[in-house]
Amino acid sequence: MYHSVGHSVFTYLEAMLTFEQQHIAAASEALKQCLNVCNRYRKKSTFTETIGKTFKKVNYDQYTDLEAHAELCSAEALLLKAMLTFIEDETLTSLIKGGMKIRNCFAMYKECNNILTHRQWESESSKLHFESGVRMGLGTFNLMISLLPARIIKLLEFIGFSGNKQSGMQDLITGSQSEGIRQVLCVMTLLGYNLIVCYVLSHKEGDLRFCDELLVKQLNQYPDGVWFLFFKGRLEFMKGNLDDALKWYKKSWKSQNVWPQFHHLCFWELLWVNCLRLNWRESLLFATYLVENSKWSRTIYTYQKASIMCMLKTEELHSSEIRTIATLMKEVPKYKQRIAGKSLPMEKFACKKTERFFAQQSFLYVPALELMFVWNLFKILGKHFHLADGVYRIVEENLNHYGERVNSKSNPAFGVYAADNKALLLLLKGACLRQMNSPLQATRCLEEVIALYKDIKEDHYLVPYAIVELALIYIDQGNKDQAILALEDAKKNYSGYSLESRLHFRIHTALMELKGKSYENIPSGAE
């Protein structure tokens, strides 16, 4: 049974890394077989027993060790199957099917928690491994659901989910400190949450000291562990130690060749580390490799490569490279995909930007810096003054040239998008100044962006993003009430703009922190 689960996990990871149809089909088949194996060993309930569960307390001592573990393995395989459903089929039906499977999976984890709590275990070893799986499953569910906006959490509560952040963290920490078979998975979930999820979906940082302690222990035990080398690179990246980040990412990349697709994760990170170092040529190497070899999102990869090339001065580009930029921009919309019947917001954003590129006669203002901002990488600039200063100088130089371009009679499109372009540059300047601890100057820039709202033709996302930046300045200054007002303004008075959901996640986490609504009184998995 555990062999089947292990095999399924690896085929699933390969499908996620490659996005190739034959690997997705293989993972789907492996998970189907795994569920069949688990179902063979799960406890069989008669119709009378099933009805009886509603009215009387279940005797969990009736479960054998094998039946208990079969329940847990089945929950794990069902979760992977549900996640696979979203990419197997691109229709709304797959979204509904996947959602139902996840709901069933969560109910199974809750039942496993009841088995863990109420059953008399004869084998401590069996209980240890079982507990690590329950902690990992319920901990991850609670942690991830707690990140969702309030209206979604209320809907999920109605259909049986819970989102208790404190309970989730405690479960994962307990699991990471045990010697159970899923201890490593608990560690990786904690690292992923603190080093990736926190930075993408909120304005807050993860617990870097805690991650450092986890990684010291894991790298002593697994010095060539590809994931732990990767997370060590990510830790240094989040600390702003870019040279160290490069070293660890390269070490992770070169530590194995069994899954060349894993290299793409490292190349994605190396691309952005080099962007923060303003080393556009080096960044371009990794961007090119991703465009040519990765299938995750060719729309995003293609736009990223073109954006990085746009950061090079005209005199630094060969004539063939200038033609390549135009070719790449034309190709961006061709690869746009739908997952579970929905377009990806970042792909839609990239497609809009390519339209602007051609409308402005093959020009965009600092597109790679704009991507750095929307990927929430500007917070790393604040770690070292010279990082923020380098980006600030580029923005300031473009602002100085902005007036000349707007008044240019040779390209009237600059006049049409004058407010959009000015607002973008002012937002990036304000965000830089916030990281450079210049709140008054940053506030002035951000207020200018907000004042341009009625003049902006397309990039309406700039204003709510500027309001949230302003709210973060108020938070830094300890002005809680003004921060809440700004966040509520961005949340309630603006809609229908690019990357709206992404900003709503950040608003939600900031409001939770300010209002104390962490949904931490919602009951966790146990009934």
Side-chain angles (χ1 to χ4, degrees), residues 450-474:
I450 298 162
L452 286 166
Y453 181 64
K454 289 182 180 175
D455 300 320
I456 290 172
K457 185 176 171 62
E458 285 181 0
D459 292 340
H460 300 292
Y461 86 94
L462 296 167
V463 174
Y465 272 75
I467 293 170
V468 170
E469 280 293 311
L470 208 50
L472 298 179
I473 291 173
Y474 296 144

Side-chain angles (χ1 to χ4, degrees), residues 164-183:
N164 185 327
K165 182 182 173 185
Q166 280 188 344
S167 172
M169 286 296 283
Q170 192 52 56
D171 276 338
L172 288 166
I173 290 167
T174 303
S176 73
Q177 293 168 346
S178 77
E179 294 180 6
I181 199 169
R182 296 168 183 85
Q183 178 263 347

Side-chain angles (χ1 to χ4, degrees), residues 338-355:
R338 295 174 77 82
I339 293 179
K342 301 278 285 180
S343 298
L344 301 179
M346 202 66 184
E347 290 194 348
K348 288 200 277 190
F349 177 81
C351 292
K352 280 186 180 179
K353 285 291 164 181
T354 59
E355 289 170 17

Side-chain angles (χ1 to χ4, degrees), residues 118-134:
H118 301 299
R119 182 178 183 269
Q120 294 296 316
W121 292 82
E122 291 175 13
S123 166
E124 280 304 313
S125 171
S126 181
K127 183 183 178 182
L128 180 73
H129 295 310
F130 186 82
E131 182 176 2
S132 71
V134 174

Side-chain angles (χ1 to χ4, degrees), residues 178-238:
S178 77
E179 294 180 6
I181 199 169
R182 296 168 183 85
Q183 178 263 347
V184 169
L185 295 175
C186 291
V187 170
M188 284 173 59
T189 303
L190 286 166
L191 291 171
Y193 173 77
N194 281 290
L195 296 177
I196 298 172
V197 175
C198 282
Y199 287 86
V200 174
L201 297 183
S202 78
H203 70 284
K204 290 187 75 179
E205 291 193 344
D207 189 337
L208 299 186
R209 184 179 293 179
F210 174 62
C211 290
D212 218 344
E213 290 168 5
L214 280 177
L215 282 165
V216 167
K217 186 178 175 183
Q218 296 304 318
L219 284 168
N220 279 337
Q221 199 169 349
Y222 310 105
D224 297 318
V226 63
W227 284 104
F228 296 124
L229 292 169
F230 175 83
F231 280 124
K232 177 65 175 172
R234 182 76 184 179
L235 175 66
E236 297 302 332
F237 188 15
M238 295 305 102

Side-chain angles (χ1 to χ4, degrees), residues 12 31 35 73-86 98 101-103 105-106 108-109 136-137 140-141:
Y12 170 80
L31 285 162
L35 283 165
C73 290
S74 187
E76 291 170 339
L78 189 64
L79 179 59
L80 297 184
K81 183 73 174 153
M83 301 309 290
L84 203 62
T85 303
F86 296 132
K101 283 175 186 168
I102 290 173
R103 181 174 178 265
C105 172
F106 185 66
M108 288 167 76
Y109 270 119
M136 199 257 314
T140 304
F141 262 111

